[in-house]
Amino acid sequence: DSGVTQTPKHLITATGQRVTLRCSPRSGDLSVYWYQQSLDQGLQFLIQYYNGEERAKGNILERFSAQQFPDLHSELNLSSLELGDSALYFCASSPVGTSGSREQYFGPGTRLTVT
Amino acid sequence: AQSVTQLDSQVPVFEEAPVELRCNYSSSVSVYLFWYVQYPNQGLQLLLKYLSGSTLVKGINGFEAEFNKSQTSFHLRKPSVHISDTAEYFCAVSVINDYKLSFGAGTTVTVRA
């Protein structure tokens, strides 16, 4: 158990809909990352938040957005869903700012199926 | 930008045999390297990391990896595998001033009795 929790575990929805994925980082970790894992794209970095502020952006679609709240949990919002958005979405956390702390701890993921 | 290439997509191996998973990276700046394992229907678990110092790093479950700067490689090895090592293995890199991980395509290891 990494200490990172993600809800829900599975999500099935229809095209055009909007969903919210939630992540709680490990206790004490200030940074949260979102990744997408799909068969055709592999593991892709989407976005990073550090202590409530956006720190880095990767291959995140404009239909997707995220935020990190004062209690450090994060939400990833996916809207106008398409079939191609079906994937496993991982959240990871890390201390960041602590010397040598580069590793990220991953949650179990949310499997999104768009029908 | 940095990138990672995992040279083998699938590696079948017999139980108690050694295994090596190959990883090459590309970056114009100093790198930090990681190996993660993903068991079926689970998240990613950190096996080991190279941040600095000794180029031979030891991780969990008997795995080790060697950082070779001249060959831009970070190959993962285990001298004797178990059935429970059946999983997908990912090599990842991050660089200075950028904490995001860039992953390779993954190597599926299947251990047979």
Side-chain angles (χ1 to χ4, degrees):
Chain A
D1 184 355
S2 67
V4 178
T5 60
Q6 289 186 249
T7 56
K9 192 168 182 178
H10 300 279
L11 202 46
I12 301 174
T13 190
T15 54
Q17 295 298 306
R18 172 190 170 96
V19 296
T20 298
L21 283 53
R22 183 187 168 105
C23 167
S24 293
R26 293 188 324 155
S27 177
D29 284 357
L30 298 177
S31 201
V32 168
Y33 309 78
W34 287 97
Y35 293 86
Q36 179 194 59
Q37 185 179 32
S38 63
L39 285 175
D40 53 344
Q41 299 286 335
L43 267 162
Q44 300 272 322
F45 167 74
L46 295 178
I47 198 164
Q48 176 198 0
Y49 276 82
Y50 175 72
N51 204 19
E53 294 190 3
E54 182 183 304
R55 175 65 68 91
K57 227 170 186 177
N59 298 323
I60 187 166
L61 299 171
E62 284 192 13
R63 300 183 285 108
F64 295 1
S65 65
Q67 53 184 327
Q68 185 179 28
F69 294 87
D71 66 352
L72 300 178
H73 90 271
S74 178
E75 293 181 356
L76 179 67
N77 300 295
L78 316 176
S79 61
S80 302
L81 285 167
E82 303 174 359
L83 295 177
D85 298 326
S86 296
L88 197 49
Y89 291 84
F90 285 111
C91 169
S93 74
S94 70
V96 181
T98 303
S99 175
S101 292
R102 278 248 164 199
E103 59 265 40
Q104 295 178 22
Y105 298 88
F106 282 75
T110 293
R111 183 168 295 281
L112 174 66
T113 303
V114 182
T115 62
Chain B
Q2 65 273 23
S3 66
V4 176
T5 301
Q6 291 185 240
L7 297 161
D8 308 290
S9 59
Q10 305 216 12
V11 173
V13 59
F14 286 105
E15 195 174 20
E16 297 182 11
V19 70
E20 179 179 77
L21 308 185
R22 297 178 293 166
C23 171
N24 285 95
Y25 68 90
S26 172
S27 173
S28 57
V29 297
S30 296
V31 296
Y32 307 94
L33 294 156
F34 307 84
W35 276 99
Y36 283 85
V37 61
Q38 185 178 26
Y39 299 105
N41 300 313
Q42 293 189 30
L44 282 80
Q45 181 182 6
L46 180 66
L47 276 178
L48 48 77
K49 64 188 178 190
Y50 171 78
L51 302 181
S52 65
S54 173
T55 57
L56 182 64
V57 293
K58 294 190 183 297
I60 62 171
N61 301 339
F63 284 93
E64 65 179 31
E66 186 156 20
F67 171 57
N68 188 319
K69 189 174 182 179
S70 63
Q71 297 192 7
T72 61
S73 68
F74 190 55
H75 300 335
L76 179 71
R77 291 188 286 265
K78 185 170 182 177
S80 176
V81 296
H82 303 290
I83 298 288
S84 59
D85 292 320
T86 294
E88 189 157 20
Y89 293 79
F90 292 93
C91 182
V93 63
S94 68
V95 300
I96 193 165
N97 293 330
D98 188 352
Y99 285 82
K100 75 171 188 287
L101 292 172
S102 298
F103 285 90
T107 298
T108 301
V109 173
T110 304
V111 182
R112 301 168 182 169

